[in-house]
């Protein structure tokens, strides 16, 4: 299988994507092959691209990978379980991602741990950031979390079921996400419920 595609818009429009066999692929905008990088496990995480061209992605070998624009390994960071969460990048280059070890991590561009936040369940949800740097993500613990940029908790919102989807931040600051019970939630920026929509089927993500 192939995961979501990420396009580098800052330079030459190269296309990056991961596949379940553990490869990170790089393709030129004209469809010609550039390179591929092999990790040591299955890759369900989609890549994120930094302003310097570094490509970050998670893997089921329990690691987050940083790969150079030329396809060379820069560093890895080991967590305590699978990394299916796709990383999100802050304006200062901080890399945010979750792990099945129940933790949300914040790393520096050089791969050093800045902080970690422990939840009550595995995290496969990919973080979303707002203009103020607040980090939003869901957990199997049935909670949507909002963290300050320093890793301290701003609030948490209780859903009815585990949250595996990645939240989206609307123009008015509302946070939208689905839970596996098939409900679509809208939450105010202060963490209070705005509305819910019962979809009645399993729901996994928003675009």
């Amino acid at each position: 299988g192939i995961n979501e595609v990420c396009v580098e818009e800052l330079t030459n429009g190269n296309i990056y994507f991961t596949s379940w066999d553990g490869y990170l692929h790089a393709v030129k905008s004209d469809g010609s092959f550039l390179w591929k990088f092999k990790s040591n496990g299955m890759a369900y995480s989609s890549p994120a691209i930094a302003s310097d061209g570094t490509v970050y992605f998670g893997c089921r070998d329990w690691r987050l990978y940083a790969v150079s624009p030329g396809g060379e390994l820069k560093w890895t960071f080991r967590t305590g379980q699978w990394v299916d969460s796709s990383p999100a990048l802050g304006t200062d280059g901080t890399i945010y991602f979750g792990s099945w070890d129940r933790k949300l991590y914040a790393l520096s561009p050089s791969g050093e741990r800045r902080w970690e936040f422990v939840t009550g369940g595995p995290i496969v949800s990919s973080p979303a950031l707002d203009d103020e740097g607040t980090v939003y993500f869901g957990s199997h613990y049935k909670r949507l979390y909002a963290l300050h940029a320093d890793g301290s908790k701003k609030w948490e919102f209780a859903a009815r079921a585990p949250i595996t989807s990645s939240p989206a931040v609307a123009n008015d600051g509302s946070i939208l996400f689905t839970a596996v019970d098939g409900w679509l939630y809208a939450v105010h920026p202060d963490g209070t419920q705005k509305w819910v929509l019962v979809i009645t089927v399993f729901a996994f993500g928003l675009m």
Side-chain angles (χ1 to χ4, degrees), residues 6-12 14 16 24 26 35 37 46-57 64-76 87-89 93-95 107-111:
C6 187
V7 179
E8 182 183 22
E9 298 177 350
L10 297 175
T11 54
N12 51 18
N14 291 338
Y16 301 93
L24 170 68
W35 49 259
F37 172 88
S46 297
I49 307 168
S51 58
D52 65 355
T54 301
V55 185
Y56 303 103
F57 72 99
L64 183 84
Y65 283 79
V67 179
S68 74
E72 300 296 327
L73 177 65
K74 294 182 71 172
W75 51 261
T76 66
L89 305 180
T94 300
I95 307 122
L107 307 183
S108 71
S110 60

Side-chain angles (χ1 to χ4, degrees), residues 16-143:
Y16 301 93
F17 60 93
T18 56
S19 53
W20 294 356
D21 58 4
Y23 280 98
L24 170 68
H25 304 262
V27 177
K28 292 182 180 180
S29 58
D30 63 4
S32 59
F33 179 77
L34 268 175
W35 49 259
K36 63 180 181 178
F37 172 88
K38 183 70 168 72
S39 65
N40 293 317
M42 298 178 71
Y44 289 90
S45 168
S46 297
I49 307 168
S51 58
D52 65 355
T54 301
V55 185
Y56 303 103
F57 72 99
C59 183
R60 286 200 164 183
D61 65 359
W62 302 14
R63 298 179 183 275
L64 183 84
Y65 283 79
V67 179
S68 74
E72 300 296 327
L73 177 65
K74 294 182 71 172
W75 51 261
T76 66
F77 179 88
R78 183 180 173 87
T79 71
Q81 249 295 353
W82 295 342
V83 182
D84 289 342
S85 169
S86 300
L89 305 180
T91 56
D92 63 351
T94 300
I95 307 122
Y96 302 96
F97 68 99
S99 170
W100 281 77
D101 67 5
R102 303 181 296 125
K103 296 178 182 179
L104 192 284
Y105 292 90
L107 307 183
S108 71
S110 60
E112 298 174 347
R113 186 193 333 239
R114 286 185 168 163
W115 51 259
E116 62 185 42
F117 181 86
V118 182
T119 73
I123 303 169
V124 299
S125 171
S126 302
L129 281 68
D130 66 15
D131 293 339
E132 297 179 355
T134 304
V135 184
Y136 303 100
F137 66 98
S139 168
H140 278 216
Y141 189 55
K142 308 177 185 179
R143 298 291 190 274

